């Protein structure tokens, strides 16, 4: 397989991990829809393939492609982003301790709190933008720092380089969930992380038609351990899903450019609308970690959070009447989505913790798609202008 490491992002997105099929010359990697592979003699296999839970040629191409985009040596793909996180947690032992964001994605919190805590893995949540608080959260048993940046849903930006140094001082692994940023906007391995995680369901897939996850690493021994877990636990993506994701990564750079352009325009529009109390977007100078975003990101992504003026009734009215932004969970597709984190994606977070984080009844999360931005702006404007905001707001 050709080495595309010296090429730029767009070229690697289209070519890395893939060569024309040697049998037919097909440009696209075939969907190897096979569970098993013939052996010429007992235990003598062709290449790396004997059973598709262990390896599949379509998945191999995808793993190489994703690794190239993250400037990693190794890629390991899973059936979902939560499956990828589970594989990382499976690196730990009973009695180990994990530190993760105070506003971590609800599905990630559920895994730590409701599943793995039962098996003796404890955790501490901390605001990762507060390095002093992070340092104080370490214990002699800490073995993993799980970092989202930007966070889901409040879009905090944490300093990956600084956190990587703190983790190294404590001989602790740093894993960064890079789902919101994608490798087009930031590369955590280059900033000191040990593991990068993606829910490939989101921007990497980009078309709201697959569920998937991936881990990327540089360390070969760590890669071997994760591949062992991938095979042993078996939460692997199907060949067709791998094919669809390979199709999608070819346009990741184009899509992300438009996502970023549209989101900046929408964020600026919302910031100046009379029905909006506050806008959170890393590209705005009003964002508290705007300087950190400028330092480690090449753009600011397609995710926006905002507070409407009003209560849950106003939020429901807004979400039920907007047209182009579909009311749905997930994010990162070419189509714009909108949701209510407190009721939808972050309902598994305890109520008191949600309130402390600002995930309130008037808090809205937008995933800005790649439609014509003027249509999106007009849709938001018309819907916001019809809200019956109480005078006291």
């Amino acid at each position: 397989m050709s080495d595309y490491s010296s090429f730029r992002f767009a070229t690697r997105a289209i070519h890395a991990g893939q060569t024309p099929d040697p049998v037919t010359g097909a440009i696209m990697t075939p969907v190897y829809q096979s569970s098993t592979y013939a052996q010429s003699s007992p235990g003598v296999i062709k290449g790396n393939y004997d059973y598709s839970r262990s390896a599949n040629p379509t998945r191999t191409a995808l793993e190489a492609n994703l690794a190239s985009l993250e400037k990693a040596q190794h890629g390991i793909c899973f059936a979902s982003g939560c499956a990828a996180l589970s594989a990382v947690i499976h690196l730990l032992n009973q009695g180990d301790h994990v530190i993760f964001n105070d506003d971590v994605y609800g599905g990630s919190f559920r895994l730590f709190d409701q599943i793995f805590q039962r098996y003796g893995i404890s955790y501490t949540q901390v605001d990762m933008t507060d390095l002093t608080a992070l340092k104080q959260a370490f214990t002699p048993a800490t073995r993993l720092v799980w970092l989202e940046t930007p966070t889901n849903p409040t879009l905090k930006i944490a300093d990956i380089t600084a956190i990587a140094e703190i983790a190294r001082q404590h001989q602790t692994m740093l894993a960064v969930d890079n789902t919101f940023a994608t490798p087009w906007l930031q590369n955590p391995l280059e900033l000191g992380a040990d593991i990068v995680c993606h829910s490939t369901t989101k921007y990497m897939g980009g078309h709201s038609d697959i569920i998937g996850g991936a881990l990327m690493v540089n360390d070969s021994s760590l890669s071997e351990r994760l591949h062992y877990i991938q095979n042993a636990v078996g939460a692997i993506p199907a060949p067709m899903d791998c094919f669809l994701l390979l199709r999608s990564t070819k346009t990741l750079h184009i899509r992300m450019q438009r996502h970023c352009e549209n989101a900046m325009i929408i964020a600026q529009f919302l910031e100046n609308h009379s029905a909006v109390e506050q806008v959170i977007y890393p590209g705005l100078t009003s964002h508290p970690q705007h300087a950190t975003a400028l330092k480690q990101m090449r753009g600011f992504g397609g995710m926006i959070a905002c507070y409407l003026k009003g209560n849950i009734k106003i939020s429901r009215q807004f979400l039920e009447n907007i047209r182009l932004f579909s009311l749905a969970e997930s994010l990162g597709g070419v189509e714009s989505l909108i949701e209510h984190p407190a009721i939808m994606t972050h309902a598994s977070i305890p109520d008191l913790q949600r309130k402390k984080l600002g995930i309130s009844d008037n808090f809205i999360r937008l995933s800005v798609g790649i439609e014509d931005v003027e249509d999106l702006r007009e849709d938001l404007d018309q819907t916001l202008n019809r809200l019956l905001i109480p005078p006291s707001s």
Side-chain angles (χ1 to χ4, degrees), residues 253-368:
H253 53 294
I254 299 172
R255 290 185 284 107
M256 287 308 300
Q257 182 176 348
R258 181 58 65 87
H259 282 300
C260 292
E261 291 171 355
N262 282 3
M264 179 62 84
I265 292 170
I266 295 300
Q268 291 171 337
F269 159 75
L270 291 172
E271 194 171 44
N272 292 296
H273 200 285
S274 60
V276 177
E277 185 176 286
Q278 181 187 356
V279 178
I280 304 170
Y281 182 65
L284 297 176
T285 56
S286 59
H287 191 287
Q289 294 93 43
H290 177 66
T292 304
L294 282 172
K295 181 178 74 169
Q296 69 188 22
M297 300 177 73
R298 294 179 287 272
F300 305 108
M303 300 302 298
I304 301 172
C306 70
Y307 293 90
L308 300 180
K309 291 181 179 177
N311 51 27
I312 186 62
K313 183 178 180 181
I314 292 297
S315 296
R316 287 188 184 278
Q317 181 188 348
F318 174 66
L319 295 169
E320 289 171 359
N321 287 281
I322 197 162
R323 292 180 59 201
L324 292 180
F325 285 79
S326 295
L327 177 59
E329 297 194 7
S330 199
L331 58 103
V334 293
E335 59 286 304
S336 293
L337 301 178
I338 196 165
E339 65 114 5
H340 191 273
I343 296 175
M344 297 168 69
T345 55
H346 289 70
S348 62
I349 305 295
D351 183 59
L352 288 176
Q353 187 174 346
R354 286 201 307 268
K355 290 179 179 177
K356 182 180 178 182
L357 294 170
I359 305 174
S360 56
D361 286 344
N362 63 331
F363 183 75
I364 304 296
R365 191 190 74 179
L366 300 89
S367 173
V368 181

Side-chain angles (χ1 to χ4, degrees), residues 147-329:
L147 170 65
E148 285 181 14
T149 182
T151 60
N152 180 6
T154 60
L155 300 175
K156 293 179 183 177
I157 306 294
D159 188 328
I160 298 172
T161 301
I163 294 173
E165 178 57 32
I166 293 169
R168 273 194 300 273
Q169 292 171 2
H170 289 83
Q171 298 182 319
T172 298
M173 283 189 303
L174 171 62
V176 176
D177 185 336
N178 203 30
T179 298
F180 272 26
T182 80
W184 174 243
L185 299 181
Q186 73 183 11
N187 299 111
L189 293 176
E190 290 194 325
L191 299 174
D194 300 292
I195 303 172
V196 172
C197 177
H198 284 275
S199 170
T200 55
T201 310
K202 312 304 193 299
Y203 286 106
M204 302 290 265
H207 295 82
S208 302
D209 56 6
I210 61 167
I211 302 290
L215 302 173
M216 277 69 82
V217 301
N218 281 327
D219 184 88
S220 295
S221 62
L222 181 56
S223 171
E224 289 178 7
R225 292 170 65 194
L226 289 169
H227 269 111
Y228 183 89
I229 292 166
Q230 177 199 46
N231 180 49
V233 177
I236 49 98
M240 188 63 190
D241 289 342
C242 294
F243 174 86
L244 290 172
L245 189 50
L246 273 173
R247 173 216 60 184
S248 296
T249 58
K250 292 178 184 292
T251 60
L252 178 62
H253 53 294
I254 299 172
R255 290 185 284 107
M256 287 308 300
Q257 182 176 348
R258 181 58 65 87
H259 282 300
C260 292
E261 291 171 355
N262 282 3
M264 179 62 84
I265 292 170
I266 295 300
Q268 291 171 337
F269 159 75
L270 291 172
E271 194 171 44
N272 292 296
H273 200 285
S274 60
V276 177
E277 185 176 286
Q278 181 187 356
V279 178
I280 304 170
Y281 182 65
L284 297 176
T285 56
S286 59
H287 191 287
Q289 294 93 43
H290 177 66
T292 304
L294 282 172
K295 181 178 74 169
Q296 69 188 22
M297 300 177 73
R298 294 179 287 272
F300 305 108
M303 300 302 298
I304 301 172
C306 70
Y307 293 90
L308 300 180
K309 291 181 179 177
N311 51 27
I312 186 62
K313 183 178 180 181
I314 292 297
S315 296
R316 287 188 184 278
Q317 181 188 348
F318 174 66
L319 295 169
E320 289 171 359
N321 287 281
I322 197 162
R323 292 180 59 201
L324 292 180
F325 285 79
S326 295
L327 177 59
E329 297 194 7

